[in-house]
């Protein structure tokens, strides 16, 4: 039996991503696999995120952010303030029924989840973001669940696709394309392999997957800058009220992705 296909001379060295075995393994595994067995649907995520962080040109990205800040006063203020979430699960539970704070609380309680707003401090209690890129990465993780909530797409596997589309459309609408691409690298490696995996193994749910991504992308493209929002001031509002408050446009209604998620997860709704 033939071994793995080697990189051609023309391909080797053409891309730092292609040259890294960890990234090649991630892309091949998550693009071609079925969702069977005990593995998580995002098996190997910490290793991939670590590889991305090692391979990216941090100095270049930081320079791009500084250039963007000179042109974008709202973005500049957001980076200057460096606001970090400190709410607790109990704080979320104090919000009214149907609000985004209460919805997030109820979701986490139902799955027995705990809040990890500052996961880096588990290893180093004194950790704080030192750079703009570190802050963007931290804040993106802290606010990701709110993308689910304003999209009313659920927290199941296919419910992850709307937030990816939303963030992609929103960054390209409000940042230079080069910077948007850099900040979306990890999102791309997580989400885009799902599209090929769906087409190869679960084509019956392709329309649902594409609808979630394209709907999110349309909302993100048409809406105000959502990734700099201080969501903690809106926890008492319903998803519809939040969309109105933030100037969210293009939203055409909630999506129930649970049936599609069960097909994609081969019996597992949540990954």
């Amino acid at each position: 039996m033939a071994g793995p296909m080697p990189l051609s001379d023309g391909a080797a060295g053409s891309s730092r991503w292609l040259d890294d075995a960890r990234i090649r393994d991630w892309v091949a595994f998550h693009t071609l696999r079925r969702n069977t067995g005990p593995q998580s649907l995002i098996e190997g995520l910490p290793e991939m995120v670590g590889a991305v962080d090692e391979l990216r040109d941090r100095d270049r990205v930081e320079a791009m952010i500084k250039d963007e800040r000179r042109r974008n006063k709202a973005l500049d203020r957001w980076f200057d303030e460096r606001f970090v979430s400190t709410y607790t699960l109990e704080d979320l539970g104090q919000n009214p029924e149907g609000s985004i704070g209460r919805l997030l609380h109820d979701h986490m309680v139902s799955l027995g989840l705990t809040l990890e707003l500052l996961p880096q401090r588990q290893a180093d209690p004194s950790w704080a973001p030192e750079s703009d890129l570190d802050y963007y990465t931290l804040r993106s993780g802290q606010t990701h669940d709110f993308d689910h909530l304003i999209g009313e797409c659920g927290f199941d596997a296919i419910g992850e696709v709307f937030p990816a589309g939303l963030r992609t459309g929103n960054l390209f609408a409000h940042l230079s394309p080069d910077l948007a691409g850099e900040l979306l690298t990890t999102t791309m490696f997580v989400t885009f392999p799902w599209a090929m995996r769906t087409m190869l193994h679960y084509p019956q749910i392709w329309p649902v997957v594409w609808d979630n991504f394209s709907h999110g992308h349309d909302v993100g493209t048409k809406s105000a800058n959502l990734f700099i929002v201080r969501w903690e001031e809106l926890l008492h509002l319903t998803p519809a009220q939040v969309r109105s408050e933030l100037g969210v446009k293009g939203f055409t209604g909630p999506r129930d992705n649970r049936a599609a998620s069960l097909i994609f997860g081969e019996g597992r709704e949540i990954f």
Side-chain angles (χ1 to χ4, degrees):
M1 183 176 178
M5 183 180 297
L7 293 178
S8 68
D9 290 341
S14 67
S15 161
R16 65 186 188 275
W17 308 110
L18 182 61
D19 290 345
D20 191 273
R22 296 166 297 178
I23 297 297
R24 291 201 307 273
D25 288 347
W26 169 274
V27 172
F29 180 67
H30 285 283
T31 296
L32 303 176
R33 63 177 288 206
R34 291 186 67 95
N35 294 324
T36 56
Q39 298 100 337
S40 162
L41 299 187
I42 48 174
E43 187 78 17
L45 179 63
E47 292 78 12
M48 183 274 287
V49 171
V52 168
D53 198 49
E54 287 180 28
L55 292 171
R56 73 187 339 155
D57 185 340
R58 293 182 64 89
D59 290 341
R60 176 174 176 268
V61 178
E62 292 290 349
M64 293 166 69
I65 293 173
K66 286 181 173 57
D67 186 56
E68 196 78 35
R69 290 181 63 173
R70 283 192 286 269
R71 298 191 300 269
N72 187 327
K73 298 303 180 185
L75 184 72
D76 188 49
R77 287 194 300 273
W78 182 70
F79 276 115
D80 270 345
E81 291 168 359
R82 292 267 180 104
F83 175 81
V84 173
S85 294
T86 58
Y87 59 79
T88 66
L89 189 59
E90 290 73 22
D91 292 334
L92 291 176
Q94 298 303 310
N95 289 284
E97 193 80 24
S99 66
I100 62 170
R102 184 64 172 273
L103 289 169
L104 181 56
H105 169 272
D106 293 351
H107 164 68
M108 298 189 73
V109 168
S110 70
L111 294 178
L113 301 175
T114 57
L115 277 174
E116 294 184 1
L117 296 175
L118 286 163
Q120 297 88 343
R121 288 188 180 171
Q122 292 180 359
D124 179 4
S126 66
W127 183 90
E130 294 182 0
S131 68
D132 287 344
L133 178 57
D134 288 340
Y135 177 69
Y136 172 83
T137 302
L138 170 66
R139 191 63 180 149
S140 294
Q142 290 192 334
T143 61
H144 171 78
D145 287 339
F146 298 115
D147 292 349
H148 284 265
L149 291 165
I150 65 165
E152 298 189 64
C153 55
F155 287 97
D156 45 72
I158 301 305
E160 289 293 333
V161 181
F162 175 91
L166 179 74
R167 181 56 62 103
T168 302
N170 206 233
L171 261 66
F172 273 97
H174 294 284
L175 300 176
S176 68
D178 285 344
L179 179 55
E182 287 286 353
L183 297 180
L184 287 162
T185 300
T186 301
T187 298
M188 178 199 64
F189 279 128
V190 171
T191 307
F192 282 39
W194 289 27
M196 187 176 290
R197 204 187 316 171
T198 298
M199 194 67 78
L200 289 174
H201 303 301
Y202 315 105
Q204 64 269 44
I205 65 166
W206 172 258
V208 179
V209 172
W210 183 245
D211 173 69
N212 273 268
F213 186 84
S214 59
H215 182 217
H217 193 276
D218 191 48
V219 172
T221 300
K222 293 177 178 177
S223 297
N225 189 333
L226 299 176
F227 63 88
I228 64 173
V229 168
R230 190 172 293 193
W231 296 92
E232 292 75 5
E233 298 175 352
L234 307 171
L235 295 175
H236 62 290
L237 301 178
T238 67
Q241 290 169 333
V242 173
R243 290 193 297 269
S244 177
E245 180 77 16
L246 297 181
V248 172
K249 299 178 180 178
F251 183 76
T252 60
R255 271 47 172 182
D256 185 345
N257 296 304
R258 289 173 294 181
S261 292
L262 285 171
I263 293 172
F264 185 74
E266 302 205 7
R268 293 178 293 175
E269 181 181 307
I270 303 292
F271 55 87

